[in-house]
Amino acid sequence: MRKAFAFLLATVLLSGCSFGYRQPIFQGNLLDKQNVEQLKPGLTRAQVIALIGDPPVSDPFHHDRWDYVASQRRGHDKTEVKNLTLYFEGDALARMEGVYFPEQDADLLTELREFGFYNLPKEKDDKKRGR
């Protein structure tokens, strides 16, 4: 009886581990919706970098293709992956396809600022500098 109780107690305690809190995981680029909306065919590579930054994925076989990949998982949900792909002809942006997390990225930045990630730019600091 005592062994059965110990086994039952261990089973109950270990089963609770899978129902506990899971840290949200965000990977990839946080793209500003206003900047992505400014992308249009004809922009140079430098202008694209100024708007949304360098691509995190560079394919050595396709120099005219830039991929901006982001993934997120909150709690016990499945991981959601989104990919924004830019295609260039020479130095000019030819077309874009794919999706990203527009509203979720803005919410995530606000959420991260609340937790004290001070390396992220703050709105009030930009106003003081006259930007």
Side-chain angles (χ1 to χ4, degrees):
M1 179 70 176
R2 193 172 220 179
K3 288 183 181 181
F5 178 72
F7 177 73
L8 181 63
L9 180 64
T11 304
V12 169
L13 290 175
L14 290 176
S15 69
C17 294
S18 66
F19 299 112
Y21 174 76
R22 287 186 86 177
Q23 179 74 21
I25 299 173
F26 305 98
Q27 295 179 323
N29 291 75
L30 295 176
L31 300 176
D32 188 3
K33 182 178 179 180
Q34 295 172 344
N35 292 344
V36 174
E37 289 174 349
Q38 291 180 31
L39 294 176
K40 61 183 180 245
L43 290 177
T44 65
R45 291 175 193 251
Q47 290 171 324
V48 171
I49 290 173
L51 283 172
I52 61 175
D54 287 321
V57 178
S58 65
D59 187 350
F61 301 108
H62 301 101
H63 297 288
D64 293 334
R65 174 182 165 167
W66 289 359
D67 292 302
Y68 293 84
V69 181
S71 67
Q72 71 175 11
R73 187 187 77 207
R74 289 184 182 264
H76 295 280
D77 296 339
K78 290 186 176 183
T79 301
E80 187 178 358
V81 178
K82 297 205 177 182
N83 187 18
L84 178 66
T85 305
L86 307 179
Y87 295 93
F88 291 88
E89 290 178 2
D91 190 42
L93 179 63
R95 63 185 165 94
M96 336 181 304
E97 57 186 47
V99 292
Y100 64 105
F101 300 101
E103 284 78 23
Q104 294 169 341
D105 285 354
D107 294 341
L108 179 59
L109 280 172
T110 304
E111 188 177 320
L112 290 175
R113 285 188 187 115
E114 290 175 9
F115 287 109
F117 288 92
Y118 299 110
N119 60 342
L120 297 173
K122 295 183 179 181
E123 298 297 326
K124 60 184 174 185
D125 291 341
D126 289 342
K127 290 177 184 174
K128 286 180 184 176
R129 294 182 195 144
R131 291 183 185 176

